[in-house]
Amino acid sequence: MTTLSEMPSHHTPRRPGRRPGARPRRRAAGIAAAVAAAFLLAVPLAPAPPAEADAAPTSATPVRTAPQGAAAAADATQAARAAAAAEICDIYCDARDPGTAAGDRVPVTATIHGRTLRLHVSDPDVMGWGSIEGGQPGDEVWLDRSFDGGRTWASGSRLGATTVPAGSTGWRTQMYNVDDWANAGVGALRACGKAGDRAEISCTGWARNDRNAGSRSTAAATALMMLWDRDTGLFETNGWWTGANALTAVIDNARISGMGSYRYAIAQTYDKNVNARDGQFRNEYLDDTGWWGLAWVAAYDLTGDSRYLSTARADADHMRAYWTAKCGGGVQWNTGIAYKNAITNELYVQLNAALHNRIPGDTTYLQRAQEGWDWFEASGMINSGNLVNDGLNDSCVNNGEPTWTYNQGVVLGALTELHRATGDAALLETARDLADASTGSTYLNPGGILREVNEGEDCGSDGASFKGAYVRGLGKLDAYLADRPYGAYLDRQADAAYGNDRDALGMYGPHWAGPLVRPATGHGCQHGALDLMNAAEAG
């Protein structure tokens, strides 16, 4: 049987240079039905989501012009060939009669020239079909299928394309599978169509069945996994440090929700990238190395596989090599840049404390974590309002750069791990002071909802990932404290994002308070939303 771990080669992404203190955009650059059914026995379907998860119908997406004449015929032939080559079998094989469907849910609709297009989803069959209503003979309807969250659908275009027959005002396609577990991964469908006498095309929004979406967190995880690239073992756009955060969010979800459907991504990410860059997930940016080290600690906690813990140790040791005397200590940001910043040193403390807590008899990592925190606390990066600025200037004093949300959150995870290691009550008192400051800041929480400093409209920049790191750290602290003091705050953020920043596919945009913006690329917003749902659920 082909398994989800049997995937092709690896690609090493690249990243442009950056300047100290700036946060620029960072990029690194069918099976048989019986076999599919056997796989589904190993990955149980999640229960249907609550009624509130059924998104309201959406209006038509932007129209495009249909090809004419010979070009249309050529396109139709090419599409038919692509559709035939892409046939998928899951519980059932593609092109099944909708009359046999075990369910009929309509998550999204669109209109065009008085016709109504509907995407129908049969959750028990994990299939869908399209329909057109209120039209006339010659009108067309078909499905598009995507395996990257609706970014592209070249191999799944015009599935089941059909026309309204004589004497009818509507028609429907055959049913097609949503997912392709053996090859392409987690999928989505939309219904498209056109009036027979008009050139314009309209499509519904993208949606999918409710498999692996029984809760807010698992639905967010499933949407994030639409953006996981099986060829590279990274997430869409192959972002390096953001990929570490996205993988950590998926791992945390498996631990918190108990849904293990995407555990395969852990080993594949590791195997495809362990020899990339400087090996063992090390590279010239020491904060990147820290993010990956913590991802592999999380992987070790979930799987017990010692190779992940060994890699986390290699990452911590790599960071230690760049602890320098400038400003009295601390790890510098980049192997070639002496800048001392908050995020690198927060990650250093958390990673070393986490290693101590998982290595029997350790003294080395504990000493490093304690030294790291002592230096950080005295460095001046924590300002008078108990918020953490970006770093230190050349005179080794607080540079007054923005209080990015992730700097307020990672330190909470670090103090939680260090308290677990030492039992020092003062650490938790400090963590509470810092958490009270950030959760109570109207600058960071205008209207009560977290907003990144200079929050933009994109999901691919550094900042798009920051809020996820913040709530992950806050969630770790909250779960560690008996009185759960930040649970209400996390619930408020989760309710806002779920109600104002989510589309029918379960994809989130950059603004938890709304309005919903769906950028064309980037996985930072989605992993941030998953981090949020994980933290709220864990509390």
Side-chain angles (χ1 to χ4, degrees):
M1 180 174 95
T2 301
T3 69
L4 291 170
S5 62
E6 294 170 357
M7 301 304 302
S9 70
H10 119 204
H11 165 74
T12 303
R14 300 174 62 190
R15 167 175 35 196
R18 299 176 291 174
R19 60 183 178 84
R23 308 304 307 186
R25 182 181 183 115
R26 295 198 274 190
R27 294 178 179 271
I31 59 174
V35 174
F39 178 83
L40 290 172
L41 292 176
V43 183
L45 302 185
E52 65 180 4
D54 291 344
T58 63
S59 59
T61 54
V63 297
R64 49 186 182 173
T65 303
Q68 301 294 314
D75 284 356
T77 300
Q78 183 178 6
R81 289 173 178 170
E87 182 181 62
I88 293 169
C89 295
D90 199 317
I91 297 175
Y92 304 106
C93 288
D94 280 346
R96 183 172 170 82
D97 182 358
T100 66
D104 184 359
R105 176 170 61 87
V106 180
V108 284
T109 66
T111 59
I112 185 169
H113 297 304
R115 284 79 165 165
T116 299
L117 294 163
R118 302 184 190 276
L119 175 67
H120 302 257
V121 176
S122 178
D123 291 309
D125 301 317
V126 293
M127 302 183 86
W129 70 96
S131 70
I132 188 168
E133 304 167 10
Q136 62 187 23
D139 289 353
E140 299 178 31
V141 61
W142 64 89
L143 290 175
D144 287 339
R145 178 166 57 198
S146 175
F147 292 106
D148 57 6
R151 283 9 182 198
T152 61
W153 54 96
S155 63
S157 179
R158 295 185 63 84
L159 299 176
T162 188
T163 58
V164 176
S168 297
T169 59
W171 205 241
R172 65 188 184 188
T173 70
Q174 298 286 77
M175 288 200 296
Y176 286 80
N177 284 294
V178 180
D179 298 323
D180 182 9
W181 286 102
N183 298 293
V186 183
L189 298 174
R190 70 178 181 181
C192 298
K194 64 180 292 292
D197 59 351
R198 303 289 186 95
E200 296 84 13
I201 290 170
S202 182
C203 294
T204 68
W206 294 94
R208 56 170 284 107
N209 58 286
D210 65 1
R211 173 192 273 165
N212 295 336
S215 68
R216 290 180 178 183
S217 72
T218 55
T222 293
L224 178 58
M225 285 304 296
M226 295 181 205
L227 305 181
W228 187 70
D229 186 333
R230 290 188 170 204
D231 290 334
T232 65
L234 297 170
F235 286 82
E236 183 226 23
T237 69
N238 295 331
W240 186 244
W241 80 272
T242 59
N245 277 269
L247 182 64
T248 302
V250 171
I251 295 169
D252 285 349
N253 184 253
R255 175 179 53 82
I256 292 167
S257 74
M259 184 187 77
S261 299
Y262 306 123
R263 288 172 62 126
Y264 63 83
I266 302 171
Q268 289 195 39
T269 297
Y270 188 90
D271 292 342
K272 292 175 184 295
N273 293 282
V274 67
N275 295 319
R277 298 176 181 248
D278 296 334
Q280 295 290 308
F281 296 88
R282 299 167 297 187
N283 69 311
E284 69 273 26
Y285 288 96
L286 284 311
D287 55 341
D288 292 12
T289 302
W291 291 118
W292 278 111
L294 289 174
W296 298 122
V297 168
Y300 171 75
D301 287 348
L302 183 66
T303 68
D305 190 331
S306 61
R307 65 178 179 159
Y308 301 141
L309 193 63
S310 295
T311 290
R313 294 183 70 167
D315 292 338
D317 293 345
H318 179 60
M319 297 181 79
R320 179 63 185 184
Y322 294 92
W323 176 283
T324 70
K326 180 180 179 180
C327 300
V331 177
Q332 60 191 46
W333 180 42
N334 178 289
T335 58
I337 302 172
Y339 178 54
K340 298 292 177 69
N341 67 347
I343 194 60
T344 304
N345 287 280
E346 292 174 350
L347 292 165
Y348 177 79
V349 174
Q350 184 174 353
L351 178 56
N352 280 280
L355 287 170
H356 169 76
N357 290 332
R358 290 156 180 81
I359 300 173
D362 166 71
T363 58
T364 298
Y365 293 109
L366 176 59
Q367 185 273 330
R368 292 178 183 176
Q370 187 65 66
E371 181 185 22
W373 169 246
D374 291 343
W375 176 83
F376 186 91
E377 186 178 28
S379 70
M381 283 187 282
I382 302 174
N383 65 34
S384 59
N386 274 331
L387 296 179
V388 182
N389 294 96
D390 189 67
L392 304 177
N393 63 21
D394 289 340
S395 298
C396 295
V397 298
N398 189 315
N399 60 16
E401 292 292 326
T403 52
W404 307 110
T405 57
Y406 74 160
N407 280 331
Q408 320 314 313
V410 175
V411 67
L412 304 180
L415 289 169
T416 301
E417 283 285 1
L418 191 54
H419 179 269
R420 180 180 167 193
T422 65
D424 183 354
L427 296 171
L428 288 187
E429 292 174 7
T430 299
R432 283 180 182 266
D433 289 343
L434 295 173
D436 288 347
S438 59
T439 57
S441 168
T442 56
Y443 175 67
L444 295 178
N445 299 275
I449 304 303
L450 188 69
R451 183 178 178 87
E452 184 53 60
V453 179
N454 302 324
E455 186 167 280
E457 299 288 293
D458 68 288
C459 288
S461 66
D462 280 355
S465 290
F466 288 0
K467 290 189 298 188
Y470 171 76
V471 292
R472 190 188 314 145
L474 181 65
K476 287 181 183 297
L477 174 63
D478 187 64
Y480 192 70
L481 297 173
D483 58 342
R484 298 291 197 274
Y486 307 107
Y489 173 89
L490 290 167
D491 287 343
R492 183 169 72 249
Q493 307 307 312
D495 289 345
Y498 187 82
N500 303 312
D501 195 34
R502 175 183 59 98
D503 68 12
L505 192 53
M507 289 284 187
Y508 289 79
H511 311 306
W512 291 353
L516 172 64
V517 176
R518 178 82 188 277
T521 60
H523 55 267
C525 298
Q526 192 63 28
H527 91 65
L530 176 55
D531 282 316
L532 175 58
M533 300 307 162
N534 287 339
E537 185 173 323

